């Protein structure tokens, strides 16, 4: 392999710290200086010190990994992965904490492919791959004696600490003030943010002793149906936000289809358990509230689908969004494959109508009372334009690309609104299907999205922002319900009461567990009547 040039070990590590500080951490430097421009009084010395402190901190952290044979592959990997993280942070304001790492690692190849575009490929090639190649072309001059290498590393680390300590002595209050008022900064420093998040995820997932599997609702009992069995469609939406539902006050007619079916009730004030599918879906099916949700416990516990199944209801899960995140492990499941339907799929993803295919045969195979859960791909970004067919290109012009930050705001919102309108079309088709079944069953449809989405508001795109920092667009979600006259009569539901509560009351994913059990008239120690949003409107 040709040698580009020779450099001693300690200067090389310092050079790597400079590259990470000024190239890959450009987004955090921009954020830092944006914060400073909004402060009334800023010390010039404090401003100048920021990149020096960042370089010193990175140099201190990097030195223990500057071991012969480890250095080049280790930092090459950090350069490439750090480049990807840098792009996402700069373009979409994504924060890479443990939850985001979990979301990434649980993303299927089709979803991951949708994030690829020319902009990110060029960015990664120039800021990640090229520096990694150059690193391999450098000949590193290590100290002749191993103990000298240790001494030199220690001296460099001490020098870094002295610089940080000197700056802290002069500007500690300034750093402390900015840090207190901008708690996201420590989650933006590359590679510390995603490296720490990855270690935490791997530790919690693979190196933590699992608790005994917890069953739920072993005492569950259900009041038997009176005249007809019940057929429920439980629809889990993807990335839909309440603000873009016309039934919730949005100016555009994005609910053009369900508004025509009659008696669809839209709940205006509902909030999600998380800001990413990997968190929200397991959380909404568990009996834990958002504030005490534990992903490890949820993955090692039954959920409300298990409780419903224990009472004799036949269940089926149909998935068009790359997996159920573990909630359907113990019930019959159909995972839609993009290669199975040439009409409704393009080889990578499928339109949500595909879940209506063969539905009559699937219902016929199930016995007694039936619950079918549908997991939509809905408004999954950034390739929103791939979520609806040509006939649903209603709002134009659209953003027909994955690097959505390069579209105009009008194009981006148009495309996203088309996904919402298409979801509405599919929900209306499901309601019409249930109406046809109403002579055989008491039918009901319940729709709720997993989380919302940012569309450039405050510079944020997509989702996954830590919950306590997430904007309303990522947590305020739609929820709708439709009930047949037979179901309303059988359950003694006061629809006027339900419509009133849907407008004035606040709900969340916390309500889903007990609300579904309540609709099935299930009594159990795990049922919480205070969280059953239908209970107040039943006589």
């Amino acid at each position: 392999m040709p040698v580009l040039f020779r450099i001693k070990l300690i200067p090389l590590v310092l050079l790597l710290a400079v590259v990470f500080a000024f190239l890959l951490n450009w987004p955090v430097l921009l954020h830092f200086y944006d914060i400073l421009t909004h402060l009334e009084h800023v010390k010039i010395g404090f401003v100048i010190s920021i990149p020096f402190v960042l370089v010193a901190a990175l140099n201190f952290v990097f030195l223990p990994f500057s071991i012969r044979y480890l250095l080049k592959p280790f930092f090459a990997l950090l350069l490439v992965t750090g480049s990807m993280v840098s792009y996402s942070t700069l373009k979409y304001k994504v924060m890479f904490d443990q939850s985001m790492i979990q979301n990434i690692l649980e993303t299927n190849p089709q979803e991951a492919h949708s994030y690829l575009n020319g902009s990110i490929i060029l960015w990664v090639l120039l800021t990640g791959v090229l520096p990694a190649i150059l690193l391999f072309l450098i000949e590193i001059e290590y100290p002749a004696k191993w103990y000298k290498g240790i001494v030199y590393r220690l001296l460099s680390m001490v020098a870094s600490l002295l610089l940080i300590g000197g700056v802290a002595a002069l500007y500690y209050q300034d750093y402390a003030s900015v840090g207190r008022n901008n708690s996201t900064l420590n989650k933006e420093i590359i590679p510390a943010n995603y490296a720490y998040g990855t270690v935490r995820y791997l530790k919690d997932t693979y190196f933590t002793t699992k608790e005994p599997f917890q069953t739920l609702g072993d005492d569950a009992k259900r009041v038997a149906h009176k005249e007809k069995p019940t057929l429920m469609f439980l629809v889990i939406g993807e990335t839909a936000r309440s603000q873009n539902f016309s039934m919730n006050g949005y100016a555009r007619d994005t609910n053009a289809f369900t508004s025509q079916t009659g008696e669809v009730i839209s709940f205006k004030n509902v909030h999600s358990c998380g800001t990413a599918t990997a968190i929200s879906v397991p959380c909404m099916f568990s009996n834990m509230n958002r504030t005490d949700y534990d992903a490890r416990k949820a993955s090692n516990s039954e959920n409300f689908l298990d409780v419903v199944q224990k009472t004799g209801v036949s269940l089926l899960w149909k998935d068009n969004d790359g997996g159920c995140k573990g909630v359907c492990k113990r019930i019959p499941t159909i995972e839609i494959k993009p290669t199975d339907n040439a009409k409704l799929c393009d080889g990578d993803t499928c339109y949500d109508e595909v879940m209506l295919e063969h539905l009559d045969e699937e219902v016929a195979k199930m016995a007694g009372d039936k619950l079918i859960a549908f997991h939509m791909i809905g408004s999954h970004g950034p390739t929103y334009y791939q979520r609806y067919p040509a006939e649903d290109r209603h709002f134009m012009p659209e953003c027909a690309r994955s690097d959505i930050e390069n579209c105009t705001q009008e194009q981006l919102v148009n495309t996203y609104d088309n996904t919402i309108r298409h979801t509405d079309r599919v929900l209306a088709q499901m309601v019409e299907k249930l109406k046809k079944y109403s002579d055989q069953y008491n039918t009901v449809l319940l729709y709720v999205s997993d989380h919302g989405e940012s569309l450039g508001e405050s510079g944020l795109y997509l989702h996954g922002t830590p919950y306590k920092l997430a904007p309303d667009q990522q947590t305020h979600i739609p929820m709708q319900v439709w009930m047949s006259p037979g179901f309303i009569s059988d359950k003694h539901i006061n629809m006027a009461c339900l419509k009133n509560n849907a407008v004035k009351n606040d709900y969340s994913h916390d309500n889903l567990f007990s609300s579904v059990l309540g609709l099935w008239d299930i009594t159990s120690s795990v049922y919480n009547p205070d969280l059953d949003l239908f209970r107040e409107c039943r006589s």
Side-chain angles (χ1 to χ4, degrees):
M1 182 178 294
V3 175
L4 192 63
F5 62 87
R6 294 179 177 85
I7 186 171
K8 293 183 181 295
L9 174 65
I10 302 305
L12 173 63
V13 177
L14 182 60
L15 178 61
L16 285 168
V18 170
V19 169
F20 272 86
F22 287 96
L23 185 62
L24 300 187
N25 277 292
W26 187 243
V28 74
L29 290 176
L30 288 177
H31 187 192
F32 219 121
Y33 287 112
D34 179 63
I35 293 168
L36 298 182
T37 58
H38 292 86
L39 299 179
E40 292 185 11
H41 305 289
V42 180
K43 300 172 184 175
I44 186 64
F46 170 53
V47 175
I48 295 173
S49 73
I50 293 169
F52 288 95
V53 169
L54 182 57
V55 170
L58 290 170
N59 184 66
F60 180 86
V61 173
F62 285 173
L63 279 163
F65 299 96
S66 60
I67 303 169
R68 191 191 300 261
Y69 306 121
L70 172 65
L71 187 152
K72 288 188 177 182
F74 178 76
F75 284 102
L77 177 63
L78 287 187
L79 284 165
V80 175
T81 55
S83 176
M84 298 176 184
V85 171
S86 177
Y87 179 90
S88 299
T89 304
L90 182 64
K91 295 294 185 178
Y92 305 131
K93 300 294 187 296
V94 174
M95 295 182 192
F96 285 80
D97 59 358
Q98 183 180 351
S99 297
M100 178 56 68
I101 296 301
Q102 178 183 355
N103 201 43
I104 292 170
L105 294 179
E106 294 182 8
T107 297
N108 62 43
Q110 288 80 13
E111 287 184 41
H113 183 263
S114 69
Y115 289 89
L116 289 178
N117 55 68
S119 297
I120 189 172
I121 291 172
L122 183 61
W123 178 278
V124 173
L125 286 175
L126 293 178
T127 67
V129 176
L130 180 59
I133 293 173
L134 294 176
L135 178 61
F136 278 103
L137 296 178
I138 293 173
E139 183 177 316
I140 305 171
E141 295 182 11
Y142 290 92
K145 303 293 184 180
W146 65 269
Y147 56 84
K148 287 186 178 180
I150 294 177
V151 171
Y152 293 158
R153 289 181 179 91
L154 289 174
L155 288 174
S156 183
M157 293 174 74
V158 169
S160 296
L161 288 179
L162 288 175
L163 189 151
I164 294 171
V167 172
L170 294 171
Y171 306 111
Y172 173 77
Q173 290 184 342
D174 299 273
Y175 277 97
S177 176
V178 171
R180 280 195 304 268
N181 296 320
N182 301 275
S183 58
T184 66
L185 283 171
N186 65 332
K187 295 183 178 181
E188 298 175 32
I189 298 174
I190 298 169
N193 54 355
Y194 71 91
Y196 178 74
T198 301
V199 170
R200 284 288 306 273
Y201 172 78
L202 294 176
K203 175 181 175 293
D204 290 347
T205 305
Y206 301 106
F207 300 100
T208 301
T209 303
K210 287 188 176 181
E211 299 177 3
F213 185 81
Q214 181 182 2
T215 61
L216 294 176
D218 292 332
D219 61 342
K221 296 180 180 179
R222 180 168 53 91
V223 177
H225 59 81
K226 297 176 181 178
E227 297 179 358
K228 293 186 291 187
T230 296
L231 173 60
M232 170 185 275
F233 286 177
L234 175 64
V235 188
I236 308 303
E238 170 66 51
T239 323
R241 64 186 207 177
S242 180
Q243 293 93 326
N244 291 62
F245 269 53
S246 55
M247 282 190 178
N248 294 341
Y250 190 50
R252 285 178 158 180
D253 192 12
T254 51
N255 298 127
F257 305 101
T258 56
S259 60
Q260 296 176 10
T261 61
E263 298 302 324
V264 170
I265 297 176
S266 186
F267 293 78
K268 294 188 176 181
N269 304 301
V270 185
H271 283 80
S272 65
C273 184
T275 61
T277 305
I279 301 297
S280 279
V281 170
C283 182
M284 75 166 82
F285 280 81
S286 78
N287 66 332
M288 290 177 275
N289 295 334
R290 183 187 67 79
T291 52
D292 62 8
Y293 175 70
D294 186 317
R296 287 180 297 169
K297 289 183 179 179
S299 66
N300 204 38
S301 171
E302 292 181 332
N303 56 67
F304 73 71
L305 294 178
D306 299 287
V307 179
V308 173
Q309 187 168 240
K310 289 177 183 180
T311 65
V313 178
S314 296
L315 270 72
L316 175 65
W317 181 283
K318 297 193 74 171
D319 204 295
N320 190 38
D321 195 30
C324 67
K325 308 305 178 185
V327 301
C328 64
K329 287 191 293 188
R330 293 165 295 276
I331 68 170
T333 301
I334 296 174
E335 190 159 343
I336 307 296
K337 296 180 180 179
T339 55
D340 289 349
N341 192 310
K343 178 183 176 182
L344 297 174
C345 308
D346 63 4
D348 292 321
T349 60
C350 300
Y351 304 130
D352 281 321
E353 296 103 313
V354 74
M355 292 189 291
L356 295 170
E357 296 283 293
H358 313 298
L359 187 56
D360 290 332
E361 296 94 319
E362 290 154 1
V363 170
K365 291 178 182 178
M366 301 167 71
D369 295 296
K370 304 167 184 180
L371 187 158
I372 302 179
F374 302 87
H375 191 196
M376 288 182 149
I377 197 168
S379 302
H380 198 296
T383 51
Y384 306 115
Y385 69 98
Q386 294 180 345
R387 306 296 168 241
Y388 52 89
E391 58 266 28
D392 278 337
R393 297 173 68 205
H394 185 75
F395 303 107
M396 297 294 288
E398 64 180 352
C399 175
R401 54 197 298 174
S402 61
D403 52 338
I404 55 177
E405 73 280 2
N406 292 319
C407 292
T408 66
Q409 187 66 13
E410 179 192 13
Q411 291 172 327
L412 181 57
V413 173
N414 283 345
T415 312
Y416 182 81
D417 284 348
N418 283 339
T419 69
I420 299 296
R421 194 171 183 273
H422 180 65
T423 291
D424 190 71
R425 179 194 292 273
V426 176
L427 290 175
Q429 291 172 346
M430 290 182 175
V431 169
E432 292 304 318
K433 175 70 70 175
L434 289 174
K435 285 182 177 180
K436 293 179 180 179
Y437 277 118
S438 292
D439 59 336
Q440 306 172 51
Y441 302 91
N442 292 325
T443 55
V444 56
L445 179 145
L446 177 61
Y447 164 82
V448 60
S449 184
D450 58 353
H451 56 78
E453 186 88 327
S454 286
L455 298 175
E457 298 89 359
S458 302
L460 285 173
Y461 292 89
L462 305 176
H463 51 267
T465 303
Y467 200 93
K468 65 180 180 180
L469 305 170
D472 191 61
Q473 289 87 358
Q474 292 189 31
T475 62
H476 189 187
I477 56 170
M479 183 170 73
Q480 295 179 323
V481 67
W482 175 88
M483 301 173 177
S484 69
F487 186 90
I488 295 169
S489 175
D490 186 54
K491 304 298 179 181
H492 304 287
I493 295 175
N494 184 327
M495 295 299 284
C497 168
L498 196 60
K499 290 177 182 177
N500 183 58
N501 286 355
V503 174
K504 71 174 187 178
N505 288 356
D506 293 332
Y507 300 108
S508 73
H509 280 161
D510 293 351
N511 296 99
L512 192 62
F513 187 98
S514 290
S515 296
V516 172
L517 296 191
L519 283 179
W520 283 100
D521 294 321
I522 293 174
T523 59
S524 170
S525 58
V526 294
Y527 167 74
N528 184 345
D530 293 333
L531 291 177
D532 181 353
L533 63 88
F534 300 104
R535 178 173 174 267
E536 183 182 338
C537 297
R538 297 182 64 180
S539 58

